[in-house]
Amino acid sequence: MTDAGRSTVGESDSDVEAAIREHHPALITYITAGDPSLADTKAYVEALDRGGADLIELGLPFSEPVAEGATIQAAINRALEAGTTPEGFFELVADLETEAPLLVMTYYNMILQYGAAPDVRPFVERAAEAGLSGIIVPDLPAEEADPLREACDDNGLDLVFIIAPTTEGERLDRIMSHVSGFAYVQARLGTTGARENVSGATHDSLARLSEYDVPKAVGFGVSEGDHAAEIIDAGADGVIVGSALVDIIAEHAPAGTETATRSDAPGDAAAALEAKAEELKRGARRGADTITDDHEKEPEPEQP
């Protein structure tokens, strides 16, 4: 472990880190809670769990999601229009039964304003009570993370940071000193959204982070099993998929919602999500198999 790393799995009680290491290569999925309803979200989370997701991120809707592309912004809008609230979100989490640990992804102001007075601890304490294992906050600079980091430590939650392709040097060390669970490696600059290929920056970012003894998972643009295979082959411990799954939910949205393309039962969306998770997990395993095959093909060193 470098000085900037926080822990190894042997030193940590992290459910998140353990899930990645034990189910390597890990599939981490994201959907927006409340899109199109909290009841539907429950069915979708359970489908992803059955499909092989090793960690599941749930987006808590916030009105100004600066890191999100059009797909997830539309999902957040649908969830807010459906009346999704923080307390409804926590009740959903408490009602879920999954093998995969659950994380919340939301923005700092939502966390800070949850209690009666501006303070991060009420949110963190409620998150732990509901059964969440970690928090991802896209708009929280590492320089301002100490209060949330301490609250998470006190309540047994991981705090995951997003590492941009341009982050390096002292700033990278500072961010990695706060990371627990895994490092969320941003595959490309810009916002979230499904892409047709894997960014070349992914390989550079993984190489830059190789000295830090914490799992690395790559997100932003991952949408296919072949993407997952390439990312794992490049050295990642996991892949993060969000927009491709949110697209599936939008395609099966009830008639009359803003982005609906056809009217299907929620069960159809759940089946499609489960199948997509299976495809992505197979891709990740294929990438791990490639690494194993390459190692087996390495020539034996010549004996003196």
Side-chain angles (χ1 to χ4, degrees), residues 33-268:
D35 173 30
S37 73
L38 290 172
D40 288 327
T41 300
K42 184 176 188 296
Y44 299 161
V45 169
E46 292 168 351
L48 293 169
D49 193 50
R50 291 192 302 272
D54 301 300
L55 293 168
I56 299 173
E57 301 173 11
L58 287 171
L60 175 55
F62 180 62
S63 58
E64 298 177 16
V66 295
E68 313 302 351
T71 295
I72 293 179
Q73 284 188 16
I76 288 171
N77 288 337
R78 291 193 297 270
L80 291 172
E81 289 169 3
T84 304
T85 64
E87 196 51 39
F89 170 84
F90 287 129
E91 290 173 0
L92 164 70
V93 171
D95 194 39
L96 286 167
E97 294 183 7
T98 61
E99 293 291 331
L102 305 172
L103 301 94
V104 58
M105 185 171 185
T106 194
Y107 290 81
Y108 191 65
N109 197 51
M110 177 71 76
I111 295 171
L112 188 64
Q113 301 296 333
Y114 175 73
D119 184 4
V120 298
R121 285 189 173 270
F123 184 97
V124 175
E125 290 167 358
R126 183 69 181 96
E129 178 187 27
L132 288 162
S133 295
I135 300 176
I136 305 171
V137 190
D139 63 339
L140 176 62
E143 296 83 354
E144 301 172 17
D146 283 346
L148 185 57
R149 171 76 272 164
E150 292 169 6
C152 286
D153 285 345
D154 291 346
N155 288 275
L157 297 185
D158 284 311
L159 181 59
V160 176
F161 284 82
I162 297 176
I163 314 296
T166 53
T167 303
E168 57 186 13
E170 292 183 4
R171 176 161 177 75
L172 179 60
D173 284 339
R174 186 179 303 114
I175 293 173
M176 295 303 289
S177 73
H178 285 290
V179 165
S180 64
F182 67 93
Y184 189 134
V185 182
Q186 183 176 339
R188 63 188 74 228
L189 292 172
T191 58
T192 59
R195 302 294 200 278
E196 294 183 356
N197 52 46
V198 175
S199 169
T202 300
H203 300 259
D204 296 336
S205 294
L206 289 169
R208 194 169 67 255
L209 293 169
S210 61
E211 67 181 279
Y212 299 98
D213 188 16
V214 62
K216 295 93 181 169
V218 174
F220 280 57
V222 183
S223 62
E224 300 176 3
D226 287 346
H227 296 168
E230 181 177 346
I231 287 167
I232 296 301
D233 186 35
D237 300 294
V239 294
I240 306 167
V241 183
S243 293
L245 303 174
V246 174
D247 277 337
I248 290 173
I249 293 171
E251 288 168 4
H252 293 79
T257 56
E258 180 182 351
T259 61
T261 57
R262 64 179 183 272
S263 178
D264 290 324
D268 294 333

